[in-house]
Amino acid sequence: MNPVPKPTPQIKEILQIIHDIMVDKKCEDISILNLETVNSYLSYFVICTVNSAVQANAVAREVRKTLKEFKLAHKEADKTGTSTTSGWTLLDFGEIIIHIMTPEKREYYNLDRLWRDAKRMEL
Protein backbone atom coordinates (compact mmCIF):
# COMPACT_ATOMS: atom_id res chain seq x y z
CA MET A 1 0.00 0.00 0.00
CA ASN A 2 1.31 3.46 -0.91
CA PRO A 3 2.03 5.83 1.97
CA VAL A 4 -0.42 8.71 2.31
CA PRO A 5 1.18 11.88 0.91
CA LYS A 6 1.59 14.62 3.47
CA PRO A 7 0.07 18.00 2.64
CA THR A 8 2.49 20.78 1.74
CA PRO A 9 2.98 23.40 4.47
CA GLN A 10 0.79 25.88 2.57
CA ILE A 11 -2.01 23.34 1.99
CA LYS A 12 -1.89 22.31 5.65
CA GLU A 13 -2.12 25.99 6.66
CA ILE A 14 -5.09 26.51 4.32
CA LEU A 15 -6.85 23.39 5.65
CA GLN A 16 -6.28 24.65 9.20
CA ILE A 17 -7.75 28.06 8.29
CA ILE A 18 -10.81 26.43 6.72
CA HIS A 19 -11.24 24.21 9.77
CA ASP A 20 -10.93 27.20 12.12
CA ILE A 21 -13.54 29.16 10.15
CA MET A 22 -15.92 26.21 10.34
CA VAL A 23 -15.40 25.87 14.08
CA ASP A 24 -15.87 29.63 14.56
CA LYS A 25 -19.10 29.55 12.52
CA LYS A 26 -20.42 26.64 14.62
CA CYS A 27 -20.31 23.98 11.90
CA GLU A 28 -20.73 20.41 13.05
CA ASP A 29 -19.10 17.11 12.11
CA ILE A 30 -16.13 18.59 10.24
CA SER A 31 -14.23 16.02 8.15
CA ILE A 32 -11.02 16.52 6.20
CA LEU A 33 -10.27 13.74 3.74
CA ASN A 34 -6.97 13.23 1.91
CA LEU A 35 -8.03 11.76 -1.43
CA GLU A 36 -4.61 11.64 -3.09
CA THR A 37 -4.17 7.88 -2.70
CA VAL A 38 -7.69 6.98 -3.88
CA ASN A 39 -8.20 9.43 -6.74
CA SER A 40 -5.84 10.77 -9.38
CA TYR A 41 -7.37 14.22 -9.78
CA LEU A 42 -8.69 15.13 -6.31
CA SER A 43 -6.56 16.07 -3.32
CA TYR A 44 -8.66 17.16 -0.31
CA PHE A 45 -12.31 17.29 0.66
CA VAL A 46 -13.44 19.35 3.62
CA ILE A 47 -17.00 18.46 4.63
CA CYS A 48 -19.11 20.08 7.33
CA THR A 49 -22.71 20.20 8.47
CA VAL A 50 -24.67 23.43 8.93
CA ASN A 51 -28.17 23.95 10.25
CA SER A 52 -29.43 26.62 7.86
CA ALA A 53 -28.88 28.34 4.53
CA VAL A 54 -27.89 31.49 6.43
CA GLN A 55 -25.15 29.59 8.24
CA ALA A 56 -23.99 27.96 4.98
CA ASN A 57 -23.76 31.33 3.25
CA ALA A 58 -21.84 32.84 6.18
CA VAL A 59 -19.32 29.99 6.13
CA ALA A 60 -18.88 30.14 2.34
CA ARG A 61 -18.50 33.94 2.38
CA GLU A 62 -15.87 33.83 5.14
CA VAL A 63 -13.90 31.02 3.46
CA ARG A 64 -13.85 32.87 0.11
CA LYS A 65 -12.82 36.15 1.76
CA THR A 66 -10.08 34.58 3.88
CA LEU A 67 -8.59 32.40 1.14
CA LYS A 68 -8.28 35.29 -1.37
CA GLU A 69 -4.80 36.06 -0.04
CA PHE A 70 -3.58 32.59 -1.09
CA LYS A 71 -4.55 33.25 -4.74
CA LEU A 72 -5.92 29.73 -5.21
CA ALA A 73 -7.67 28.75 -8.41
CA HIS A 74 -11.29 29.23 -7.42
CA LYS A 75 -14.19 28.07 -9.52
CA GLU A 76 -17.65 29.29 -8.72
CA ALA A 77 -19.24 25.91 -8.31
CA ASP A 78 -21.74 26.56 -5.57
CA LYS A 79 -24.40 23.90 -5.72
CA THR A 80 -26.70 26.51 -4.23
CA GLY A 81 -26.03 29.12 -6.92
CA THR A 82 -28.44 31.87 -5.99
CA SER A 83 -30.83 29.46 -4.33
CA THR A 84 -30.71 29.10 -0.57
CA THR A 85 -32.80 25.95 -0.53
CA SER A 86 -30.51 23.29 -2.01
CA GLY A 87 -28.80 22.43 1.27
CA TRP A 88 -25.39 21.91 -0.31
CA THR A 89 -22.78 24.55 -1.06
CA LEU A 90 -19.69 23.37 -2.92
CA LEU A 91 -16.58 25.56 -3.12
CA ASP A 92 -13.87 24.43 -5.52
CA PHE A 93 -10.36 25.71 -4.77
CA GLY A 94 -8.53 23.29 -7.04
CA GLU A 95 -6.69 20.99 -4.62
CA ILE A 96 -9.28 21.62 -1.91
CA ILE A 97 -13.00 21.10 -2.41
CA ILE A 98 -15.30 22.25 0.38
CA HIS A 99 -18.75 20.75 0.96
CA ILE A 100 -21.06 22.71 3.27
CA MET A 101 -24.18 20.61 3.77
CA THR A 102 -27.37 20.47 5.78
CA PRO A 103 -27.85 17.32 7.89
CA GLU A 104 -30.37 15.96 5.35
CA LYS A 105 -28.02 16.39 2.36
CA ARG A 106 -25.05 15.09 4.33
CA GLU A 107 -26.93 11.95 5.27
CA TYR A 108 -28.41 11.46 1.79
CA TYR A 109 -25.15 11.85 -0.18
CA ASN A 110 -22.95 10.38 2.59
CA LEU A 111 -19.66 11.56 1.08
CA ASP A 112 -17.79 10.23 4.11
CA ARG A 113 -18.91 6.70 3.24
CA LEU A 114 -18.51 7.21 -0.50
CA TRP A 115 -14.86 8.23 0.05
CA ARG A 116 -14.27 5.86 2.99
CA ASP A 117 -10.95 4.68 1.51
CA ALA A 118 -9.56 8.21 1.86
CA LYS A 119 -7.36 9.01 4.83
CA ARG A 120 -9.06 11.20 7.45
CA MET A 121 -6.88 14.06 8.55
CA GLU A 122 -6.71 15.50 12.05
CA LEU A 123 -5.56 19.07 12.49
Side-chain angles (χ1 to χ4, degrees):
M1 180 172 192
N2 295 337
V4 177
K6 294 206 183 283
T8 66
Q10 184 182 29
I11 292 295
K12 187 165 181 157
E13 177 186 359
I14 293 167
L15 291 170
Q16 185 67 59
I17 288 168
I18 294 166
H19 181 269
D20 292 347
I21 290 169
M22 290 177 172
V23 168
D24 184 55
K25 298 289 183 190
K26 310 287 189 249
C27 297
E28 299 171 2
D29 197 17
I30 301 167
S31 296
I32 301 172
L33 306 177
N34 183 335
L35 302 168
E36 293 178 311
T37 59
V38 295
N39 192 292
S40 63
Y41 60 91
L42 295 173
S43 297
Y44 300 95
F45 271 6
V46 181
I47 308 166
C48 72
T49 303
V50 294
N51 292 307
S52 69
V54 172
Q55 185 184 16
N57 289 335
V59 173
R61 187 173 43 253
E62 187 66 23
V63 167
R64 279 191 207 100
K65 183 178 94 176
T66 304
L67 295 187
K68 270 187 183 176
E69 71 179 80
F70 291 96
K71 297 180 178 27
L72 299 171
H74 176 238
K75 297 178 192 135
E76 285 298 325
D78 289 359
K79 295 290 283 177
T80 57
T82 57
S83 166
T84 57
T85 58
S86 91
W88 183 1
T89 301
L90 184 141
L91 303 173
D92 183 345
F93 288 97
E95 286 188 68
I96 301 169
I97 298 180
I98 302 167
H99 302 271
I100 305 167
M101 307 172 92
T102 61
E104 298 79 22
K105 294 295 181 184
R106 181 110 185 230
E107 184 179 335
Y108 181 80
Y109 288 102
N110 205 348
L111 296 178
D112 297 278
R113 185 184 63 73
L114 181 67
W115 294 99
R116 67 182 167 265
D117 293 340
K119 173 90 169 121
R120 284 182 154 309
M121 292 181 58
E122 299 295 327
L123 297 177

